[in-house]
Amino acid sequence: MKTLNTYILMAFLVISGKSLAQQTPAGKQTEAVTIVGATAHLGNGEVIENSLVIFENGKLIEVIAANLTKRQYPGKIIDAKGKHVYPGFIAPNSTLGLVEIAAVKATQDEDEMGEMLPNIRSLIAYNAESKIVESMRPNGVLLGQIVPRGGRISGTSSIVQFDAWNWEDAVVKEDDGLHINWPDTYKRGSKWRGEDPNLKPNKSYVENVQELSDFFASAKAYLDGDRDYKNLPYLAMETVFGGEKKVFVHANEEKAILDAIQFKKDQNLPHMVIVGGYYSTGVAEALKNNNIPVLVGRPHSVPEEAHEDYDYSYKLAGKLYEEGVLVAIEGSGQMERMNSRNLPFYAGTAAAFGMDKEDALKLITLNTAKILGIDENYGSLEKGKSATLFISEGDALDMRGNILSHAYIDGREISLETHQTELWKRYSKKYKDQSGKEEIPTDSESSP
């Protein structure tokens, strides 16, 4: 009986492992790849209609018009006539890999207890084998900024690529930024406590901002002193004051944004980014003058107030862009991990509501790379940069055209299969026979 139970347990573990495992990460690029004839959207606003894109050893070595050269093409040749080439899309302010199943607490690792937590690092909690992370790739989302949540200072984010065995292999930029949840200037009362649910001024606002100022002052005093004891939160602030880490301030209201700008000046912070910025158009000039970019919330959201235009969120990124603010799109909010795969369609919505299509593309490519500080290698198709790109059958900002045939991260051709694509193929085959006869998938086709 004991032996039988052992076999049953082993079989269960094998089946579970098969259903939970991610695609095996791709190996290093071993030969040059030449993509011929595609329309290349460079991510910097430029388009090459009949392009020649060549990359080797993970780097782009040629991005030119195909009719400018008649030499023999090196390595593997991909005929992409009628298709489109894009730089890999980048998802900022994401919790991908930190939560797998929202209803199962054991799979949640996005938050820690406490309020001032600059020493908390999202990178070491990142699950590179997440099935949700895997599902980003078929839509062209190949990199992301992994951000902790909760507290007044949530912790430190890092930037990863989405095809790796573990967080060590995944990391693109380690500990890139500190994340602060700025106090709300207005709050709604809790109806469960019998409070007025309407918006009213936050009586603790000034006190909450002062707490932040006090923490920064204490950290500076500690770092300038003898450091006769180890204080991990204060030690983590050293790279913030030195400029190695950017400060991402999550704020939406005009007053909150203006106060954050003043906070930047008071604390002499080299780099600050506003995240969310729902009402940032009213302070666009101040943002521009202080060289502060904005990661606007996802356009696929309803207006927050009844008097606002229905398309307010759709146009927000475009309005900031017109004002000269460096802007990109982030996707936090309800069901944010699953919805991160819709990042290209967020940019497509911005294009549909006023932005030039190539300018909208920048919202998820080069602009994002600049804001995150990785534009030297990522965000656009330019000679010398990482060969992180994909080929799409059509317009990648439109869900009807976003059909990938090839995708590469640092020159490595990655799998576009996921748990979802395998299930789609399985049940498509089941119902394909119009005669009514049910087709039985093979073992390889039926294995999730």
Side-chain angles (χ1 to χ4, degrees):
M1 186 66 179
K2 186 175 180 180
T3 303
L4 178 61
N5 288 339
T6 301
Y7 283 129
I8 292 173
L9 177 60
M10 289 175 65
F12 173 77
L13 291 174
V14 168
I15 294 170
S16 298
K18 196 172 184 181
S19 66
L20 292 176
Q22 189 197 34
Q23 294 291 325
T24 301
K28 288 184 179 180
Q29 184 180 8
T30 57
E31 65 173 337
V33 175
T34 300
I35 303 171
V36 184
T39 298
H41 304 262
L42 306 191
N44 59 5
E46 298 178 28
V47 178
I48 301 176
E49 293 293 343
N50 180 28
S51 69
L52 177 68
V53 179
I54 306 173
F55 54 95
E56 190 172 14
N57 298 321
K59 295 289 184 181
L60 290 161
I61 59 175
E62 208 79 85
V63 183
I64 58 175
N67 56 11
L68 295 180
T69 179
K70 293 183 179 180
R71 71 179 190 276
Q72 179 122 17
Y73 302 144
K76 178 182 177 182
I77 299 172
I78 300 175
D79 183 355
K81 289 183 177 66
K83 299 182 180 181
H84 300 256
V85 178
Y86 293 86
F89 300 150
I90 309 167
N93 187 36
S94 169
T95 53
L96 285 165
L98 299 183
V99 178
E100 192 69 6
I101 305 171
V104 180
K105 192 171 183 179
T107 71
Q108 301 176 25
D109 205 3
E110 64 178 353
D111 191 4
E112 294 289 341
M113 294 179 64
E115 286 295 306
M116 305 295 186
L117 303 168
N119 54 309
I120 295 300
R121 303 171 65 230
S122 65
L123 182 61
I124 58 173
Y126 174 69
N127 175 19
E129 293 191 286
S130 165
K131 277 191 173 185
I132 305 172
V133 169
E134 179 183 79
S135 71
M136 301 298 111
R137 303 190 309 228
N139 278 10
V141 183
L142 306 182
L143 300 101
Q145 181 196 38
I146 310 304
V147 178
R149 299 282 190 247
R152 182 64 63 210
I153 298 179
S154 301
T156 299
S157 60
S158 289
I159 301 161
V160 300
Q161 50 87 4
F162 293 154
D163 183 62
W165 286 107
N166 48 49
W167 65 261
E168 291 97 332
D169 294 339
V171 65
V172 167
K173 186 173 183 180
E174 188 170 345
D175 299 338
D176 73 292
L178 182 77
H179 291 259
I180 297 175
N181 295 306
W182 197 263
D184 293 323
T185 56
Y186 284 83
K187 280 190 173 182
R188 294 186 185 275
S190 171
K191 64 179 182 179
W192 304 109
R193 297 177 182 174
E195 298 172 350
D196 181 4
N198 294 314
L199 276 174
K200 49 185 175 295
N202 177 12
K203 297 178 180 179
S204 302
Y205 177 75
V206 174
E207 179 185 342
N208 296 154
V209 174
Q210 187 59 49
E211 288 171 354
L212 265 175
S213 297
D214 291 346
F215 179 83
F216 272 66
S218 297
K220 282 181 179 177
Y222 172 84
L223 294 170
D224 292 339
D226 295 333
R227 306 190 196 184
D228 52 354
Y229 64 97
K230 184 172 286 189
N231 187 306
L232 294 180
Y234 291 165
L235 286 170
M237 295 295 293
E238 187 166 20
T239 48
V240 174
F241 297 131
E244 291 92 344
K245 283 182 194 171
K246 295 188 177 184
V247 176
F248 292 81
V249 174
H250 298 241
N252 287 298
E253 300 141 333
E254 287 185 11
K255 176 174 172 52
I257 294 171
L258 289 173
D259 287 347
I261 293 173
Q262 186 60 48
F263 184 81
K264 176 184 184 295
K265 295 176 181 177
D266 294 342
Q267 301 298 332
N268 195 28
L269 300 174
H271 307 290
M272 179 177 282
V273 178
I274 297 297
V275 182
Y278 188 78
Y279 294 109
S280 56
T281 54
V283 293
E285 187 175 354
L287 290 165
K288 179 183 176 181
N289 292 340
N290 288 278
N291 196 30
I292 297 177
V294 179
L295 292 172
V296 297
R298 62 191 188 205
H300 294 181
S301 57
V302 298
E304 292 193 2
E305 301 296 334
H307 66 273
E308 293 170 351
D309 293 339
Y310 79 93
D311 55 2
Y312 179 87
S313 296
Y314 306 159
K315 294 180 176 179
L316 178 55
K319 288 180 178 179
L320 287 172
Y321 183 83
E322 289 174 0
E323 293 291 338
V325 177
L326 179 60
V327 59
I329 294 176
E330 59 97 10
S332 62
Q334 190 175 24
M335 300 180 71
E336 66 180 69
R337 287 165 293 279
M338 180 199 75
N339 281 317
S340 293
R341 72 192 68 163
N342 291 326
L343 185 67
F345 314 135
Y346 297 158
T349 298
F353 282 81
M355 287 193 76
D356 174 81
K357 181 64 73 70
E358 299 307 317
D359 289 337
L361 177 62
K362 286 194 252 182
L363 299 176
I364 56 175
T365 55
L366 188 57
N367 282 13
T368 309
K370 286 179 178 178
I371 292 171
L372 300 185
I374 58 172
D375 54 302
E376 185 177 340
N377 288 310
Y378 299 93
S380 61
L381 301 179
E382 298 178 69
K383 185 176 179 179
K385 286 193 173 185
S386 167
T388 298
L389 53 92
F390 64 88
I391 303 173
S392 176
E393 299 288 338
D395 181 358
L397 303 191
D398 186 327
M399 63 179 67
R400 295 167 299 180
N402 187 300
I403 304 170
L404 273 62
S405 60
H406 300 76
Y408 300 86
I409 294 179
D410 297 326
R412 301 177 297 111
E413 184 170 7
I414 64 172
S415 170
L416 294 173
E417 290 296 327
T418 72
H419 183 58
Q420 286 85 355
T421 60
E422 288 180 351
L423 288 175
W424 170 67
K425 288 177 181 178
R426 176 183 179 183
Y427 288 103
S428 292
K429 185 175 178 63
K430 177 179 179 181
Y431 293 106
K432 189 175 181 180
D433 188 347
Q434 298 300 316
S435 67
K437 181 180 178 182
E438 200 174 89
E439 292 188 9
I440 306 300
T442 64
D443 290 341
S444 61
E445 291 170 330
S446 62
S447 300

